[in-house]
Amino acid sequence: MIIGHRQVERNGIIYIIRSAVREDAAELSAIRLQIDGETENMERRQGEGFISPKGFEEIIRKDTEADRNLFLVAEVEGKLAGFARCEGSVLSKNAHKVEFGICILRAFWGYGIGYSLLQQATSWADSQGIVKMGLTVLETNTGAISLYRRFGFETEGILKKDKLLADGTYYNTLVMGRLKDQLTD
């Protein structure tokens, strides 16, 4: 699905939230790799699960054509600062929900980019009649957890000792969900 551009000014920078396009593929591949090396909050370590520019082109194509998928990017001065995706399912039992994920370059933390991407994603989901948005987040990522709660996400479960981080310690993962019908009750 494609959405229009939205310009945001916050904490001294101006950025654009928009749908990903084919021309973003090479930059998306590079920043995903960079982000994976900047934080332990992602599902993978740097270099694991690498997605090539061609791979991103295919994801963008599929997300653009699918009614239940959305691929957003945040652009600052012509360069990508992060991205977010909502991925739905073609299976009828899961057609009411999407999975959400987000990545932002460390240099752009604190500018509200995560907030803006999540705001756009939840607004899109609500407008599409999506009943549930789901995500997973490392228990130590308290900033993200706080942001998700602001948008109505609740902890639905805990995956104990789910991630082994570089410090050699196992950490829990929170499973969070946002139900549209609970937002209006």
Side-chain angles (χ1 to χ4, degrees):
M1 170 131 326
I2 298 284
I3 62 146
H5 289 51
R6 185 170 151 243
Q7 184 172 305
V8 179
E9 184 173 355
R10 185 152 180 202
N11 295 338
I13 68 166
I14 297 172
Y15 55 90
I16 296 169
I17 304 296
R18 62 172 174 80
S19 288
V21 294
R22 184 177 181 266
E23 293 76 18
D24 295 323
E27 195 173 357
L28 284 165
S29 180
I31 70 165
R32 182 176 184 263
L33 184 64
Q34 181 179 339
I35 290 167
D36 288 351
E38 292 181 335
T39 179
E40 292 256 30
N41 293 329
M42 306 313 295
E43 286 289 317
R44 59 216 162 252
R45 292 195 173 111
Q46 191 171 28
E48 293 179 338
F50 177 75
I51 301 175
S52 70
K54 280 277 190 216
F56 268 107
E57 284 181 19
E58 183 63 14
I59 292 168
I60 292 166
R61 183 189 65 75
K62 287 180 179 178
D63 286 354
T64 299
E65 294 172 359
D67 290 339
R68 294 289 191 196
N69 290 14
L70 180 68
F71 196 149
L72 299 172
V73 296
E75 181 182 315
V76 179
E77 296 180 358
K79 299 286 184 192
L80 298 185
F83 62 94
R85 283 188 71 223
C86 290
E87 184 175 14
S89 175
V90 296
L91 303 175
S92 60
K93 289 184 179 181
N94 295 319
H96 66 289
K97 64 183 181 175
V98 297
E99 291 297 316
F100 176 80
I102 189 167
C103 298
I104 300 169
L105 288 166
R106 183 181 290 274
F108 293 100
W109 292 3
Y111 290 101
I113 291 173
Y115 179 93
S116 295
L117 286 166
L118 186 53
Q119 182 180 50
Q120 188 66 54
T122 55
S123 176
W124 166 82
D126 291 346
S127 74
Q128 296 301 304
I130 293 168
V131 175
K132 181 175 184 172
M133 291 180 73
L135 59 87
T136 59
V137 59
L138 197 62
E139 69 180 338
T140 56
N141 194 349
T142 56
I145 293 166
S146 176
L147 175 64
Y148 299 144
R149 287 189 174 134
R150 285 175 64 189
F151 278 86
F153 285 85
E154 296 178 356
T155 300
E156 296 182 333
I158 299 173
L159 304 174
K160 296 182 179 183
K161 292 188 176 185
D162 188 51
K163 301 288 184 284
L164 175 62
L165 300 189
D167 67 2
T169 304
Y170 290 96
Y171 290 88
N172 299 333
T173 297
L174 302 183
V175 177
M176 299 184 79
R178 175 185 182 269
L179 297 173
K180 183 179 178 188
D181 57 344
Q182 287 185 347
L183 299 174
T184 57
D185 289 346

